[in-house]
Amino acid sequence: MEKIVILTGAGISAESGLGTFRDEGGLWAQHRIEDVATPEGFARNPALVHQFYNARRVQAAKAQPNAAHQALARLQKDWPGEVIIVTQNVDSLHEAGGAKHVIYMHGTLAGALCGNCGHCWTSPLEMEVDEPCPVCQQPLVRPDVVWFREMPYFMDEVHDHLAGAALFASIGTSGQVYPAAGFVQQARAVGARTVELNLEPSAGASMFDETHLGSASTVVPRWVDQLLAQGSTQ
Ligand code: OAD
């Protein structure tokens, strides 16, 4: 059975109303990465970091999955082999769209993490700086998201999946952040076919055997239909 590994980024949730990072007017045009997405930024000003993620969590809670999330859930259900979705996104729209087995390599807004003992629990909609950990009682709560200079989650699992992939697809990501940006090379190294679906060519565009340019809600369902009709990745 041919395994498909799919990497998604902010572009897949753009049509659900969630902002991307590097497009014009994106999140990194409005906030400094060093302030809101690094351990040092959190140590300097935890209230500002909570404010940033609280706003994103509130917005994400209102968002609905779009046709691209739903199409990937359909692929996962109907493809005869395994379909692994690895997302850099911290929203829950893949699961809201019906997907199972989503790997959240950058964590999730739905989680709270204790900076003291590492305990994880379900995040309230808005986190407060002094909220104590339910296990160790230390007031070091943070969003369970991966920041710059931290190690993404589940990398061994992702590498194992890539090693067995017949097809690797990258959807809605600019290909500027590693390790995710390097997955395409790993997939190529094991002979997988590589496909990019994005609004515009990403930084690693030349690495892909096939490219579908356009908005995710249009190109992803079309690609999924083709794949299911073909029944093979080649
Ligand atoms: P980016 O904002 O870097 O890239 C989003 C990509 O989606 C761009 O290539 C856009 O062209 C494309 N795009 C925008 N709208 C689209 C649409 N409707 N349909 C299809 N594609 C669309 O976001 P990511 O690549 O996900 O990490 O960013 C990767 C990581 O950088 C994030 O997980 C985050 C960020 O800093 C951390 O915070 C650790």
Side-chain angles (χ1 to χ4, degrees):
M1 288 295 139
E2 291 182 307
K3 182 188 279 203
I4 301 176
V5 178
I6 298 171
L7 170 70
T8 66
I12 196 165
S13 296
E15 290 160 276
S16 294
L18 302 181
T20 61
F21 296 95
R22 297 175 181 79
D23 292 303
E24 210 182 317
L27 283 169
W28 296 153
Q30 302 165 47
H31 306 270
R32 279 164 33 102
I33 290 180
E34 296 74 18
D35 290 341
V36 298
T38 62
E40 295 79 11
F42 185 63
R44 264 196 314 272
N45 191 345
L48 178 74
V49 176
H50 280 302
Q51 198 181 36
F52 175 71
Y53 286 99
N54 284 345
R56 291 184 63 200
R57 196 178 298 104
V58 167
Q59 200 190 18
K62 291 188 207 143
Q64 297 297 319
N66 65 52
H69 299 104
Q70 285 156 352
L72 294 188
R74 188 156 51 86
L75 183 65
Q76 234 180 14
K77 188 161 87 41
D78 294 344
W79 184 252
E82 250 185 310
V83 175
I84 306 296
I85 299 176
V86 183
T87 189
Q88 298 167 90
N89 298 344
V90 291
D91 64 55
S92 304
L93 292 177
H94 282 300
E95 274 162 346
K100 308 261 185 293
H101 331 297
V102 179
I103 299 179
Y104 291 95
M105 63 175 287
H106 287 170
T108 160
L109 287 170
L113 168 67
C114 175
N116 182 52
C117 74
H119 178 64
C120 295
W121 68 102
T122 303
S123 169
L125 199 54
E126 302 203 29
M127 254 182 221
E128 282 170 31
V129 174
D130 294 328
E131 192 176 310
C133 166
V135 170
C136 73
Q137 309 303 327
Q138 290 299 305
L140 289 170
V141 62
R142 55 166 283 182
D144 190 11
V145 300
V146 174
W147 288 325
F148 287 90
R149 292 191 280 286
E150 292 183 325
M151 184 62 83
Y153 294 157
F154 310 116
M155 282 303 99
D156 289 348
E157 203 182 317
V158 173
H159 295 323
D160 287 350
H161 284 307
L162 286 168
L167 174 69
F168 171 75
S170 171
I171 305 178
T173 174
S174 61
Q176 297 199 37
V177 176
Y178 283 82
F183 292 171
V184 61
Q185 276 127 306
Q186 289 178 47
R188 285 179 76 88
V190 297
R193 181 166 178 75
T194 55
V195 184
E196 169 158 86
L197 300 98
N198 207 36
L199 203 53
E200 59 195 12
S202 69
S206 62
M207 297 281 173
F208 292 90
D209 299 317
E210 188 184 318
T211 304
H212 300 255
L213 295 183
S215 65
S217 71
T218 305
V219 295
V220 176
R222 204 158 54 199
W223 172 72
V224 165
D225 286 346
Q226 265 172 22
L227 208 51
L228 287 173
Q230 236 166 263
S232 142
T233 60
Q234 298 309 308

